[in-house]
Amino acid sequence: MTSVLVIDDEIQIRRLLRVSLEKQGYAVHEAGTASDGLQLVLGKKPDIVLLDLGLPDRDGADALSELRTWSSVPVIVLSVRNAEEEIVKLLDVGADDYLIKPFNTGELIARIKVAIRHRAPAESQEPFVSGRLSVDLIAREVRVSGELVKLTPTEYGLLRILVQHAGRVVTHGQILRELWGPNVDQDTNYLRVYITGLRKKIEENPHMPRLLITEPGVGYRLAAGQGS
Amino acid sequence: VSDDLRPDPDVLLRAIEKDREGKGKLKVFFGMAAGVGKTYSMLKEARQKQTEGVDVVVGYLESHQRKETEELATVFETVPRIKMDYRGRALEEMDLDAVLTRKPALVLVDELAHTNVPGVRNEKRYQDVLELLAKGIDVFTTVNVQHLESFADTVEEIAGISVHERIPDSVFDAADQVVLIDISPEELLKRLAEGKVYLGDAARSAVDNFFKRSTLTALREMSLRYTALLVDHQLAGYAQAGGRESPAKSGERLLVAISASPNSAHLIRWTRQRAFSLKAEWTALFIESGQVLSESAKDGLRKNMNLARQLGAAVVSIPAEDVAEAVLRYARTSNVSQIVLGKSGLSKRRGFFTRRSVTDRILAASADIDVAVVQEKGTTVVHTPPRLANVLRWQSGTLLLSLGLVAVVTLINLLALAEVGYHTVSILYLLSVIAISFFATRAAVMVCAALSAVLWDYFFIPPRFTFAISKLEDALMIVLYFVTAAALAFLMTRLRTNQRMLAVREKRVTLLYNFSQNLSHLHSIPEIARTSMERISKYFEAECILFLRDSETTIERTVQSLSPVEIDDKEFGVAQWCFANRTPCGKYTDTLAFARYHYIPLLTPDSTVGVLGIRMPEGRAWPHDQDQFLQTLGRNLSLSIERELLADENRKNLMARESERLGRVLLNTISHELRTPLTTIKGSVTALQDASTAEDRDARSALLSETLTATDRLNSIVENLLSMTRLESGMLRLKKSSNDIFDLVSVVADAMRRQSRDHPLSIRVDEDVPLVSLDFILMTQVLTNILVNAARHTPPGTPVEISVERKGRGVRITVADAGPGVAPEELPHLFERFFRGSRAASGGVGLGLSICKGIVEAHDGKITAYLNRKGGLSISIFLPDSVVEGQTEGIPERETAS
């Protein structure tokens, strides 16, 4: 049984998550503080961690950095609005995804599934498919509704990163670093131009993106495919 | 009725205490001469206080090696004296700052009239004492009658010694108690004979002269009389405190006319004594008659003015040409009952040609005002109008020029004589005299008039080259010529003096007028400070600085100035002293004279609002006759600053009231707005707890849907409240980044579609819309708020359109609905906090649009509302070109065939 560790200081939220997750067939462990949470990651070896920002005992990014030194368990950050900077920081130190409170339980479960699936070791040989888009990373082929699409090298690199993280958020910083190396300055200007370009090529209506979703203040997310 | 007149003792006490609030009490042990036992009495009383538990220290004590005094003093803690090196001698003074730091309840300071060694802060010890009192420390001190400024002259006369150490009588008036230590002259002489009196290094002869029975009796009488007067005054003071119609003041008002002459000092002292015994107010008046004052005269004037001020006079100086008339005019307008003049001003001879002296003219025209003519004593320098020799010396430049002009005219006349005749040349001489009178002094013009008459006679009037005159007609002519020239000279110079006086007065009046006019138009303290400093430094041709009040007791460390100045801690300390003591000090005064600037406190009736510093350029003396004018300007400035301070306070109060009102509205709306969704949630959930309801699929689905809507609503209220708080508290900081408006619009539209499908949403975006630099999340909130409003206030099914277009160099985003719109008169209020339109559907706090406005304006943008062609409401956001980044195309890349 997949086990989930919920680290949140609000008992009501823990109870709510326990009920909804157990109903979905997950085993749930709870911790009220970051230090208890880290202990439980060691002791219970959960398959995924839901980490609340704003824990009473420790700074979230700090706890996560520590966790990442000895564990690669997927972590989804739960946060409130207007904490985008904090979220980006956590994603950059190794969180897998985030959700803004109050969230929709269905959305949470979808995110948990995506996060766990991506921790599965072997990289899929199958082309990535989402809606009318299919990307074959081995053949370097991008098709929309079965038609081959021409992409510039940067556009392709951008799409590759998004496909590799399909269904999860990728921060501006992560994309910039992967595309242009670690020393690139944090100017997201060009990135937006490439995103616009990419959308024109893969979206049905570039003004109403369905595939390449903007995560305000954080980054982008490629809508997950129907199957892996 | 009599009950009303009798002061209530409580009121009385309170009045006295109020006046003394925070100030120390001064007790003076007063005697007629050394050796009466003042110090001893002081110590005994201090000992008594100490046994009562009062914290007593010795600030300065002179035991004169008297054993009993020394023994008495050992029981007190003594603050170590400060050692000063003065011309190779080590001298000791009271360490004022050490005493202030020690802050005892009571400090003993012997010899109030002592003059401090140069180098310590104050020139005189009594100034130290005043400072101690101001800081709330009680002081016991001793003094002899001869040291009182107003008695010093008399004592010099009686005892034949000169008194150098003097204190202003006003210090005495500040005393809460004066204890007269009185022994009979016989007793004192006996003590003297027994060697119990220490007399210092005074010459034997002086001592013998002083300690004569007759002298001592006179001194004793003086001290007794003075003490009696003081008691009388204190009684009057209490009566006044009781709230009666000012019985303390006799209604008399004395005026003493002063000049730069040392004689005036005596007049000032005489007037002070008289005013004191009459319980009258008094004024020392100086008339600036436009006479050129030598440096020593200026100094004398400054001394006289300071003396008068120290003795409690109001010092006034008025520019006027006619001294007598000005004195009388001032006396009349200020209700003066008595004018004090010096006897030396009386004309010794009274002849037809002698002009009557000022004193004579005042006497003649004083009408119902009493005039006291007082014999000057002490220095017998009689001040006369500047002597010819002096005039020649001061005016040698113009005199030479005048003589040169006469010489030139003589030459011209010699050349022209053959053509015009010797009568006509006199006209040329007359012209030259008139010309001279335009620039030279009266004396110089007179000299030229006389000289030209003589020259005319010698060179032109036959027989020529002699002084003899042959014809009677010519003799008459020359007399007439001289009289005419002299009269012209006199009138011209008088006119000029008058004009100069007028110009001075005009300049002051204009400055004052402009000053107060200007200040009244300014509405911020920095502006007032700058403008006033500009005006003052221009008028005085001096450098001007300003310190503003920081708190009740301190001024701001930062100095206001027109050009950058360095103010070190020492200089700042002087300004701070001026502020705390509400007294002018620094340069050009006796207190803290080492300072670089002259400081005057900016006083208002109730408080001090700052300190004004002024400094003349290097090498120029401060015009002391302008002290009063500077103070007038200072008062104007203080009032303006106070006005602004009050206005500030008022604004703060208004803001507090406004925020209170908003707080109330907020509470009312919020409590309603929060409760509605909470009620929905609680209602739905409790309904679902019932098994039969939960099993009904339709009911369950409906209830859950309501719950979801309610939570979304709650969430949006919380978000808006948080945003409002951030905006209000100034904590909102834009995190700008370059963004695609399509992206922005699509994120918002997406969220909207997920929330409500009741309104078909269409998006129209111009192709050439550039990237914009904005805070993506805050802008998302703006658009979300507008869309939520549109959805909430329009009937289901009506369309909402978002359009983005280029507008000039900026970008415009418009959200148009097809609902009922709002009443046109409500349009301007839509963006106000807590405003809710009359046609608005129920629900909503009235915060959404005001938050939008805040955020858009933080982006330098504009948000407007108008009714569109469909009758619905359109909200338009205009973002100026400053947020536009331009059409950033990507780096051109070759597309890969994949």
Side-chain angles (χ1 to χ4, degrees), chain A residues 216, chain B residues 742-754 761 763 776-777 779-788 802 815:
Chain B
F742 306 146
D743 221 6
L744 177 69
V745 172
S746 61
V747 164
V748 176
D750 220 40
M752 276 309 293
R753 286 204 191 91
R754 262 182 282 156
L761 192 63
I763 299 173
F776 196 90
I777 292 166
M779 269 304 173
T780 317
Q781 196 182 355
V782 169
L783 287 180
T784 310
N785 275 346
I786 298 174
L787 284 172
V788 165
I802 311 175
V815 177

Side-chain angles (χ1 to χ4, degrees), chain A residues 151 154 189 192 208 214, chain B residues 735 738 743 753 763 893 896:
Chain A
L151 295 182
T154 315
N189 222 345
R192 299 196 195 271
M208 291 273 164
T214 300
Chain B
K735 282 168 247 158
S738 141
D743 221 6
R753 286 204 191 91
I763 299 173
E893 275 183 296
T896 51

Side-chain angles (χ1 to χ4, degrees), chain B residues 80 104 199 220 334 396 570 735 813:
Chain B
L199 295 167
R220 187 181 187 200
S334 315
S396 56
K570 207 166 158 195
K735 282 168 247 158
I813 308 169

Side-chain angles (χ1 to χ4, degrees), chain A residues 81-82 84-85 102 140 148-149 151-154 189 192-194 196 199 201 207-210 214, chain B residues 715 719 726 735 738-740 743 746-747 750 753 763 771 777 885 888 890-891 893-896 898:
Chain A
R81 192 165 296 287
N82 278 309
E84 283 77 7
E85 271 174 51
R140 293 173 67 90
L148 267 181
V149 174
L151 295 182
T152 67
T154 315
N189 222 345
R192 299 196 195 271
V193 179
Y194 291 120
T196 310
R199 273 182 182 153
K201 289 177 183 174
H207 297 164
M208 291 273 164
R210 287 277 166 267
T214 300
Chain B
N715 195 31
E719 299 268 308
R726 273 193 207 103
K735 282 168 247 158
S738 141
N739 282 289
D740 192 341
D743 221 6
S746 61
V747 164
D750 220 40
R753 286 204 191 91
I763 299 173
L771 286 184
I777 292 166
E885 301 233 313
T888 320
I891 309 149
E893 275 183 296
R894 196 172 45 82
E895 291 186 346
T896 51
S898 43

Side-chain angles (χ1 to χ4, degrees), chain B residues 278-299:
Chain B
L278 285 174
K279 294 171 196 155
E281 290 177 28
W282 63 295
T283 306
L285 177 67
F286 173 69
I287 305 295
E288 301 163 49
S289 62
Q291 219 174 53
V292 188
L293 288 180
S294 65
E295 282 307 311
S296 67
K298 275 185 189 164
D299 194 47

